[in-house]
Amino acid sequence: MSASTPTPEVQSADATAALPADLQDERLIASQGVGGFLRAFLSRLRSGDLGSLPVVVGLIVIWGVFQIANDAFLSSRNLVNLTQQSAATGTIALGIVLVLLLGEIDLSVGSMSGLAAAILAVGFVGHGWSLWVAILAALASGAVIGAIYGLLYTRFGVPSFVITLAGLLAFLGLQLKVLGKEGSINIPFDSGLVKFAQASFLSDAVAYVLVLVVVGVYVATRLRANQRRTAAGLSTTPVVTLALRAVALLVLLGIPVYVLNRDRGVSYMFLLFVALVVVFDFVIRRTRWGRSVLAIGGNVEAARRAGINVRRVYVTVFVFCSTLAALGGLLAAGRLASANQGSGGVDTNLNAIAAAVIGGTSLFGGRGTAYSALLGILVIQSISNGLSLVNLGSPERYMITGGVLLLAVIVDSLSRRSRAAHGRA
């Protein structure tokens, strides 16, 4: 063999280097098993594909600091309170995640949630509607407003920033109009909504069974995915890695459930929020509609040329966002047992948007998961809750939350540049 002729090993390395990053990971996992899986994971981290790692590390640090400052922070009672405080705004943040995946924004989610709470209270308490009719009317208002946003955006090309900023002001005024001169309506404590939001918890046994069911479903779906990938000639997740993931999931779910069960347990309201996160995560990753959302967020023109109905996707995303904002407003009204002029105020708006961004959803579109809403709202509510325990108020909370938000955006921007440089954009 001449000195100028590459060896088979060099040719193989060159061929591998020429592959897209995802295919390189596939080959590494297929050839080296668990070791290859770990090397692929480290390679993604080095290339800036950080996923949810920064926010998880940040959450651990926040919890550690506040636990040192006040040992009641990680108590069962406080963590139950934390989960209940997170559910309403987290549900709104989930809608923001969907809009951000398109590279758009909805600034009116706070006003929409307040309007929904007002419609519920006036209909249920003021006009004697049944609770379900009032709930459906509030959710329908969210869906209609989302559809209007989508049509204005797709038909007239008005930027989503402008449309939803106008909505923020208009629906704030409509909320005040609906509430009337009194400006506040109390929802009876014996109503189903208030009981659901304040006093409904899973029993200990049901909570533990639910954890086992979730882990079992996860293992079954991953094994099924391995079978399909094997049949297609693709690499699969090693069984040892799958077992380690299952154990980690069992611990990750089991320990919080155990801690919460030492007090009142897992609330129905927080369980509803988590269920919505899981459902939308599946929809985003596994359905044609979800893949279309990611494609449009990555490159709208390429998505259009690929045959995706871009207008329909935009409209449906805005509908989901406003409907989830309305649902979040109903949960907040149930937890507080009232709807008033402050419902869905500035805090709600900013915290929902900040939660989606802090949780890892890119402002540039095309990257993020539904779990961003869960992680982000836990960070924000942990900061708020912890500062209250150490007797610090709104000034410190606003400054710290703003700093965390800015840091999240900087990390997202740097990660985006690194991914592009390593072929993982």
Side-chain angles (χ1 to χ4, degrees):
M1 182 178 295
S2 66
S4 61
T5 303
T7 64
E9 291 80 4
V10 172
Q11 291 176 335
S12 175
D14 290 342
T16 300
L19 291 172
D22 290 344
L23 292 181
Q24 292 181 35
D25 292 347
E26 294 279 358
R27 286 196 171 186
L28 195 60
I29 295 172
S31 61
Q32 300 182 23
V34 177
F37 180 84
L38 294 176
R39 289 185 179 89
F41 174 72
L42 293 175
S43 175
R44 288 196 296 272
L45 292 183
R46 286 193 296 268
S47 67
D49 193 0
L50 302 178
S52 300
L53 185 61
V55 67
V56 172
V57 172
L59 188 60
I60 293 173
V61 171
I62 289 169
W63 284 10
V65 169
F66 283 127
Q67 178 64 16
I68 293 172
N70 189 322
D71 58 9
F73 180 78
L74 292 180
S75 66
S76 297
R77 177 169 293 276
N78 190 58
L79 290 179
V80 170
N81 292 335
L82 180 62
T83 58
Q84 289 187 294
Q85 293 163 1
S86 300
T89 308
T91 301
I92 300 172
L94 182 57
I96 292 293
V97 168
L98 296 177
V99 174
L100 288 179
L101 288 176
L102 289 177
E104 303 298 334
I105 190 63
D106 187 343
L107 299 177
S108 68
V109 288
S111 296
M112 183 64 250
S113 68
L115 176 60
I119 292 173
L120 168 81
V122 170
F124 178 56
V125 178
H127 297 296
W129 298 351
S130 73
L131 179 60
W132 283 109
V133 170
I135 289 174
L136 291 175
L139 294 178
S141 69
V144 170
I145 289 170
I148 293 173
Y149 285 163
L151 292 174
L152 288 174
Y153 180 83
T154 58
R155 297 295 179 181
F156 300 102
V158 183
S160 60
F161 179 91
V162 176
I163 298 171
T164 57
L165 179 59
L168 182 155
L169 298 172
F171 300 131
L172 175 59
L174 184 56
Q175 174 186 347
L176 300 180
K177 186 72 173 179
V178 170
L179 287 172
K181 295 181 180 180
E182 293 184 1
S184 179
I185 299 176
N186 294 325
I187 302 173
F189 283 96
D190 60 353
S191 66
L193 179 63
V194 175
K195 288 181 178 179
F196 175 83
Q198 293 186 1
S200 296
F201 298 86
L202 294 177
S203 67
D204 293 1
V206 171
Y208 289 128
V209 169
L210 185 59
V211 169
L212 295 177
V213 169
V214 170
V215 175
V217 170
Y218 170 77
V219 172
T221 55
R222 297 309 304 169
L223 290 175
R224 177 58 180 161
N226 276 357
Q227 291 178 352
R228 291 197 302 267
R229 293 178 67 85
T230 299
L234 300 173
S235 64
T236 61
T237 303
V239 175
V240 175
T241 302
L242 180 57
L244 291 175
R245 285 182 176 181
V247 172
L249 181 61
L250 181 63
V251 173
L252 184 65
L253 297 178
I255 291 178
V257 167
Y258 168 75
V259 173
L260 295 177
N261 281 345
R262 294 178 62 186
D263 190 63
R264 286 159 288 171
V266 181
S267 71
Y268 282 13
M269 184 167 65
F270 185 71
L271 182 63
L272 172 62
F273 167 48
V274 174
L276 287 171
V277 169
V278 173
V279 169
F280 274 98
D281 177 69
F282 176 84
V283 170
I284 292 169
R285 293 187 302 109
R286 299 291 184 180
T287 67
R288 179 181 298 178
W289 179 85
R291 289 190 289 269
S292 297
V293 170
L294 295 175
I296 293 171
N299 190 320
V300 62
E301 187 57 35
R304 183 179 289 109
R305 292 183 179 183
I308 295 174
N309 190 332
V310 174
R311 287 187 174 183
R312 183 173 63 187
V313 173
Y314 274 115
V315 172
T316 54
V317 166
F318 278 112
V319 168
F320 276 129
C321 181
S322 292
T323 304
L324 287 169
L327 178 59
L330 299 184
L331 296 177
R335 191 173 74 85
L336 299 176
S338 70
N340 54 55
Q341 295 176 349
S343 297
V346 175
D347 273 10
T348 302
N349 215 33
L350 297 182
N351 285 343
I353 296 173
V357 177
I358 291 172
T361 304
S362 175
L363 286 169
F364 303 99
R367 296 189 69 87
T369 70
Y371 289 99
S372 300
L374 175 60
L375 293 172
I377 197 60
L378 286 178
V379 168
I380 288 179
Q381 289 298 336
S382 294
I383 292 172
S384 177
N385 183 287
L387 290 176
S388 297
L389 289 178
V390 296
N391 297 318
L392 294 176
S394 295
E396 292 81 8
R397 176 166 60 86
Y398 284 132
M399 289 187 288
I400 293 175
T401 303
V404 172
L405 175 60
L406 179 60
L407 180 62
V409 175
I410 292 173
V411 170
D412 176 41
S413 182
L414 294 176
S415 298
R416 184 169 177 261
R417 293 181 184 178
S418 182
R419 289 194 304 269
H422 290 80
R424 292 180 182 270

